[in-house]
Amino acid sequence: MLHVVYNVGDLDKTIKFYTECLGMKLLRRRDIPEDRYSNAFLGYGPEDTNFTVELTYNYGVDKYDIGDGFGHFGIAVEDVARTVDLVKAKGGKVTREPAPVKGGSTMIAFVEDPNGYKFELLERGLTPEPLCQVMLRVGDLDRSINFYKKSFGMELLSRRDNPEYKYTIALMGYGPEDKNAVLELTYNYGITEYNKGNGYTQIAIGTDDVYKSAEAVKLCGGKIIREPGPIPVINTKITACLDPDGWKSVFVDNVDFFKELE
């Protein structure tokens, strides 16, 4: 998993929140005036070794509908209470005070960035991947698990049913959740469709062969919305697809991605 992409209404204000409250670093920033947008990449380490966020500001658009399908991003911190105090001191919004997770013992809290995106703070020891989760809601958990296993090559890391609160979650990824970013899929009992809004965009995933990745997606019931091939000008090879719930992902050629970073 390379980065997660979403739209924000005020790029400078969002960067300030992520760096001052969440401890991220601004890794790079670019302005594309001919296409009327700007990008900023932030994270806890270099893009070639860490999962990062890619913020997109489209000229003149100051607000987005996040919808009810996107859940949250997860950040592992050593002290949830201390991080919440910092967010409050900087004028950030706390939507859930520090407390154990429902049905578990891990200390968590929820905060919102200036655009309304939720971040779950998870108390954890030192980890090489503090930006550790992207949570999306799905309408059929077994279908989603099979899709991401077969077409994306992800592992089912864990699955937990919580009948008391009427939801089931599955963590999918490419390695243990304490050392890698994971995709958290949530199924809420009886809900099969969600409003995705226009804020959250996609996850970018590295692959050694975008053409084979596209074929795998087609074979497993996904939809290709951009056929594999190079992007004009920068020549990085990509392909874009939708999962069975309509969530978008982009596969990026690994060699081309590292060249782009250089």
Side-chain angles (χ1 to χ4, degrees), residues 230-244:
I231 301 171
V233 183
I234 62 174
N235 289 320
T236 296
K237 292 184 288 297
I238 70 166
T239 187
C241 68
L242 301 179
D243 77 356

Side-chain angles (χ1 to χ4, degrees), residues 14-167:
T14 306
I15 290 171
K16 183 178 174 69
F17 178 83
Y18 287 11
T19 53
E20 293 186 359
C21 295
L22 301 179
M24 292 187 190
K25 298 182 179 72
L26 176 60
L27 303 171
R28 61 182 167 121
R29 182 172 178 165
R30 61 188 181 189
D31 190 36
I32 318 291
E34 60 269 27
D35 292 325
R36 298 182 56 77
Y37 76 91
S38 300
N39 283 119
F41 291 78
L42 296 97
Y44 294 98
E47 289 177 68
D48 57 350
T49 56
N50 289 81
F51 189 54
T52 62
V53 299
E54 178 184 343
L55 308 177
T56 300
Y57 168 69
N58 295 293
Y59 291 8
V61 183
D62 61 6
K63 192 168 184 180
Y64 291 90
D65 173 20
I66 296 174
D68 59 5
F70 170 78
H72 60 258
F73 304 108
I75 295 182
V77 298
E78 291 186 72
D79 189 325
V80 166
R82 187 173 63 196
T83 305
V84 165
D85 287 343
L86 176 62
V87 170
K88 288 179 178 177
K90 296 290 183 178
K93 183 178 179 180
V94 177
T95 58
R96 185 188 193 275
E97 294 290 339
V101 65
K102 292 176 181 177
S105 59
T106 302
M107 188 69 70
I108 67 166
F110 276 90
V111 301
E112 280 187 14
D113 81 353
N115 311 279
Y117 294 102
K118 290 183 173 63
F119 282 79
E120 181 181 23
L121 307 176
L122 302 101
E123 194 156 279
R124 216 179 256 180
L126 283 173
T127 173
E129 198 68 277
L131 181 59
C132 60
Q133 286 181 2
V134 178
M135 192 275 259
L136 302 174
R137 298 182 175 95
V138 298
D140 184 326
L141 191 57
D142 289 328
R143 179 184 66 183
S144 295
I145 290 171
N146 288 331
F147 175 80
Y148 282 100
K149 283 172 70 174
K150 292 178 180 177
S151 63
F152 282 49
M154 290 184 175
E155 303 171 57
L156 173 60
L157 302 171
S158 65
R159 178 172 178 157
R160 186 175 77 246
D161 189 34
N162 199 323
E164 183 182 355
Y165 297 102
K166 297 185 177 180
Y167 72 88

